[in-house]
Amino acid sequence: MDERRQFYTQEFNLQKAADWFTDGFGNIKFAVIIGRHTKIYPEKYRKDASTTIILDDFKNLEELRQQILEFLPEAVYYDRNIYDANGSKVGQELAFDLDPENITCPIHGTLSDKMKRHQGLSFCEVEFDMVKKEAIGLYEFLETYFSDLRVVYSGRGFHIHVLDQKAYKLSSKERLELARQSKQAGFHIDDWVTLGEFRLIRLPYSLNGLVSRITLPLRKDELESFDAVHDKRCLPKFLGKEATF
Ligand SMILES: [Zn+2]
């Protein structure tokens, strides 16, 4: 928790996180999960450690940061839903989630093999390299439909965000069709994210407390050589020397 406090006090780049929201963050809702996977949480939040806590009452991002510091969460998200002034959902940012554990590894096998060994959230360098290649491929696949794409290293795998205006308005049926085609093309995406049932997505520049990595937007042309073990931009300072293994 000291590490989380240090990160959100000294390192979290509030301005870059704000710049992520090209239309401003005034109507964006955020969320935190304190300790669902890590089981690390402030004692006073023991009962809420696994709860998704929505943060929608702040005047500016500095206030949001103060709230994050109060909870010291393992994860910070934002809500992809777009709401009107009455709080009704009027659209949703389209996103794709690629995680290495969904990759069948030549060494470690399928997700269910890994689950049997209680390694459901673990992944190796081979799997990371495979998921990186999928991110490049999925990006290029999506480029045939959309023009405003962004790719983010999530701390484990990659998220591809589609920011074209038309993508916010897609129906459930159209999202389902895009997910179907992506999977047919061989990409191991998480349906829940694409279909919008899971509407939260990790906030760029926040800390992924499961793996101690900073959620990092990348240019498409730097994806191929991106090295999550050594790239200083995704290494929180608290790792210190440990980061160079
Ligand atoms: Zn593996």
Side-chain angles (χ1 to χ4, degrees):
M1 281 194 304
D2 285 342
E3 295 173 343
R4 294 177 188 173
R5 187 179 296 107
Q6 182 190 329
F7 176 82
Y8 284 107
T9 305
Q10 299 170 12
E11 276 183 83
F12 178 47
N13 195 323
L14 211 55
Q15 191 52 53
K16 279 189 174 173
D19 291 345
W20 174 262
F21 301 98
T22 44
D23 292 331
F25 52 87
N27 293 317
I28 304 287
K29 294 181 185 184
F30 294 84
V32 295
I33 294 178
I34 303 176
R36 182 181 296 171
H37 295 291
T38 55
K39 310 292 177 212
I40 298 169
Y41 44 79
E43 190 48 41
K44 63 179 165 177
Y45 293 121
R46 171 177 289 272
K47 276 199 299 204
D48 289 315
S50 295
T51 310
T52 302
I53 301 169
I54 303 292
L55 307 179
D56 60 357
D57 185 19
F58 50 89
K59 290 189 198 69
N60 51 51
L61 277 186
E62 182 52 40
E63 267 192 35
L64 176 72
R65 178 167 61 164
Q66 291 306 324
Q67 293 176 16
I68 294 172
L69 277 166
E70 169 63 23
F71 294 115
L72 294 176
E74 67 183 16
V76 181
Y77 303 93
Y78 71 90
D79 184 349
R80 292 183 289 130
N81 283 357
I82 306 297
Y83 302 95
D84 66 13
N86 301 317
S88 304
K89 179 186 165 191
V90 292
Q92 186 187 69
E93 182 192 301
L94 177 65
F96 294 79
D97 178 25
L98 291 161
D99 281 323
E101 69 266 17
N102 294 321
I103 301 277
T104 297
C105 175
I107 303 161
H108 301 98
T110 64
L111 177 59
S112 80
D113 295 334
K114 290 177 243 178
M115 302 261 282
K116 277 180 210 148
R117 295 192 302 268
H118 305 288
Q119 294 176 333
L121 287 171
S122 307
F123 60 93
C124 72
E125 282 189 50
V126 175
E127 287 157 65
F128 184 73
D129 220 50
M130 289 166 79
V131 82
K132 197 165 76 171
K133 287 197 174 69
E134 284 204 15
I136 295 168
L138 180 58
Y139 190 105
E140 287 168 359
F141 173 76
L142 292 170
E143 272 182 323
T144 62
Y145 298 94
F146 304 105
S147 56
D148 193 359
L149 302 174
R150 294 193 201 169
V151 60
V152 173
Y153 165 59
S154 71
R156 299 163 49 70
F158 296 90
H159 295 150
I160 296 178
H161 299 251
V162 181
L163 300 182
D164 294 52
Q165 279 306 314
K166 66 175 180 184
Y168 286 86
K169 300 287 182 192
L170 291 173
S171 67
S172 306
K173 213 175 151 188
E174 291 166 318
R175 288 169 203 263
L176 190 66
E177 180 57 21
L178 271 170
R180 195 189 64 78
Q181 289 182 20
S182 305
K183 287 192 291 187
Q184 206 167 44
F187 303 114
H188 295 83
I189 57 163
D190 180 339
D191 272 346
W192 276 50
V193 172
T194 302
L195 302 182
E197 285 155 68
F198 192 74
R199 64 182 202 277
L200 303 176
I201 197 147
R202 204 173 279 283
L203 174 66
Y205 304 102
S206 66
L207 178 69
N208 182 333
L210 274 70
V211 289
S212 295
R213 286 294 183 278
I214 300 168
T215 309
L216 184 69
L218 295 166
R219 291 194 320 272
K220 195 240 172 187
D221 64 4
E222 58 187 359
L223 256 184
E224 192 161 3
S225 62
F226 175 65
D227 175 352
V229 177
H230 300 104
D231 191 317
K232 285 203 167 65
R233 294 173 301 168
C234 69
L235 303 177
K237 291 199 175 71
F238 63 72
L239 287 178
K241 287 200 186 93
E242 286 171 48
T244 48
F245 22 75

